[in-house]
Amino acid sequence: MSLEWEQVVVDAAHPAELGRWWANALGWVVVFEAEDEFEIRPAPDRLPGLVFVPVGDPRLTKNRLHPDFRPDDQAAEVDRLLELGARRADIGQGEQPWVVL
C-alpha cells in the first residue's frame, strides 16, 4: 500500500481571495475554482496542492498549522510578500533568524 500527499485544506472566510494571494506568492497555478473550493498547485499535474474552502465561523484561536519557507534571499522575499499584502506578526518570537508574517 502507498500514499500520495494530495493537498492541504485551508479554511478561509474568502477562499478565492486567499487562494489567489497564495498562488501569486508561491508562483503556483489555479487548477480548480468553484464557489465552495479553490485549488492551487505548483503545476497542473504536480502535487501536493492547497485547497481553500469556506468557513462560516470566525477563528477564535491561533492557527494549528503554519507553513515554513526557506527563501534564497530572506530580506528580498519578505519585502516581496509585504508588497503583496502580507503583514508582520509578533507572536512573542523575540530575536530570531526567521520572520513571522
Side-chain angles (χ1 to χ4, degrees), residues 71-83:
D72 292 331
D73 183 338
Q74 183 189 57
E77 192 62 20
V78 167
D79 287 344
R80 185 181 77 84
L81 294 173
L82 290 171
E83 287 177 19

Side-chain angles (χ1 to χ4, degrees), residues 11-96:
D11 291 344
H14 306 282
E17 182 180 330
L18 186 59
R20 282 189 218 307
W21 190 91
W22 275 106
N24 195 18
L26 296 171
W28 288 15
V29 296
V30 176
V31 295
F32 184 77
E33 182 175 359
E35 201 170 304
D36 62 345
E37 186 176 307
F38 190 92
E39 183 178 1
I40 64 173
R41 293 184 186 173
D45 59 347
R46 200 164 144 221
L47 297 174
L50 292 173
V51 175
F52 300 85
V53 297
V55 62
D57 300 329
R59 182 170 47 98
L60 300 175
T61 60
K62 73 178 190 170
N63 293 332
R64 295 182 181 261
L65 176 74
H66 69 267
D68 290 338
F69 299 96
R70 187 182 305 205
D72 292 331
D73 183 338
Q74 183 189 57
E77 192 62 20
V78 167
D79 287 344
R80 185 181 77 84
L81 294 173
L82 290 171
E83 287 177 19
L84 289 175
R87 293 181 303 246
R88 292 182 182 272
D90 182 354
I91 58 168
Q93 68 268 21
E95 292 293 321
Q96 299 296 334

